[in-house]
Every structure is written in C-alpha cells, then in structure tokens.
Amino acid sequence: MQTTFSSIREQYYRVSEPVVNLSFLAQAAARCYTAWVFFASGLTKLRDWETTLFLFEYEYSVPVLSPELAAYLATIGEIVLPILLVAGLASRVSAAGLSIINVVAVLSLEDIPAAAMYLHYIWGILLAQIVVWGGGVLSLDRWLNRRREF
C-alpha cells in the first residue's frame, strides 16, 4: 500500500513540476489581459470625451467625486496603470489601482447585466492575484529587485 502511494505521488510530481515552472506565463498573461481590458476602456473614453462626460454625469453614480473629476481620474487610471502593468513596473500598485476602478465601475452602475458582472469578477480575481503574488519573473519589478540585491 505504501509503495502504491509513493508511486502515485512520484508520478504526480513528475507530471506537475514542469507546469509549476510555467507559472510565470500565467502571471504575464493575467497582467497583459487585464491591462488590455482597462486600456481599451480608457481609449474608448478618450475617443469620445463628450459622451464620457455625459455618461459620468447622468449614467454613472460615482460616490463622493464630481462627475468631471471621476471621468478624468478613471480615464487617466485606465490609460496609465495598464501600461505599468504590462511592463511589470509597480505591478502591485497598478493592479490595486485597477481593482479600485473595477469596484467603482460595478458600484456606480445601477443595472449591470449578469454577464458583465461575471467579467468584473474575473478581472477582480486576476488583479487580486497580481496584488498578492506580484508581477512575476517577466516583470521590471523582478529585474529591478534583482539589481538592488547585488
């Protein structure tokens, strides 16, 4: 019985170890995907600024901030933070900032379709993963941290 468990355990680790070594690709993919989603949203806001201001004034109910300030902050955040995230520079801070934008977007819309809500959940989970584990091996954060150690 003991040898059966040892054999199964050995086979499991033999198969799973290469996958573990590829986790840096999942981290890079999470950074690039979420960055693309938010960057595209920021570009949409920039393309039609008048509509953006209209939506922030009449459609979105952003608490505390004036509609114009909320529009500027959201647009700047959706343009700058994804660029930092793709580069892996200040990955945790960038992901945290995009998480705030994600939460405010969900809270500011009164009627959000279920499919859109699920996407916000997925983005939130991916961003939380970046906040917790950082940008990964393929990030400027890692490279800068390694240079600091020498």
Side-chain angles (χ1 to χ4, degrees):
M1 187 72 155
Q2 183 70 4
T3 59
T4 304
F5 284 126
S6 295
S7 176
I8 291 171
R9 186 184 73 219
E10 190 173 310
Q11 292 298 325
Y12 170 77
Y13 285 113
R14 186 175 62 78
V15 171
S16 68
E17 193 63 33
V19 175
V20 169
N21 292 332
L22 294 177
S23 64
F24 70 94
L25 290 176
Q27 288 176 303
R31 285 192 350 250
C32 290
Y33 170 68
T34 52
W36 172 77
V37 167
F38 285 93
F39 189 74
S41 176
L43 288 180
T44 300
K45 286 177 176 64
L46 282 178
R47 276 190 208 110
D48 192 354
W49 188 247
E50 292 303 317
T51 301
T52 298
L53 290 175
F54 177 83
L55 287 172
F56 272 87
E57 187 165 346
Y58 296 106
E59 183 71 23
Y60 309 144
S61 303
V62 178
V64 181
L65 302 175
S66 72
E68 188 173 357
L69 180 60
Y72 277 106
L73 290 176
T75 305
I76 291 168
E78 288 179 338
I79 296 296
V80 174
L81 296 176
I83 292 169
L84 294 174
L85 196 59
V86 166
L89 186 60
S91 300
R92 286 185 166 107
V93 173
S94 301
L98 290 173
S99 294
I100 292 168
I101 292 171
N102 190 36
V103 168
V104 170
V106 168
L107 294 177
S108 67
L109 283 170
E110 290 180 20
D111 295 323
I112 186 166
M117 183 61 87
Y118 290 129
L119 286 173
H120 283 279
Y121 290 152
I122 290 169
W123 302 331
I125 290 167
L126 291 173
L127 290 167
Q129 175 244 224
I130 296 165
V131 170
V132 171
W133 285 297
V137 175
L138 297 177
S139 68
L140 287 176
D141 289 339
R142 176 68 66 105
W143 183 77
L144 291 171
N145 192 34
R146 288 182 71 200
R147 289 196 42 127
R148 189 180 62 132
E149 291 173 1
F150 294 114

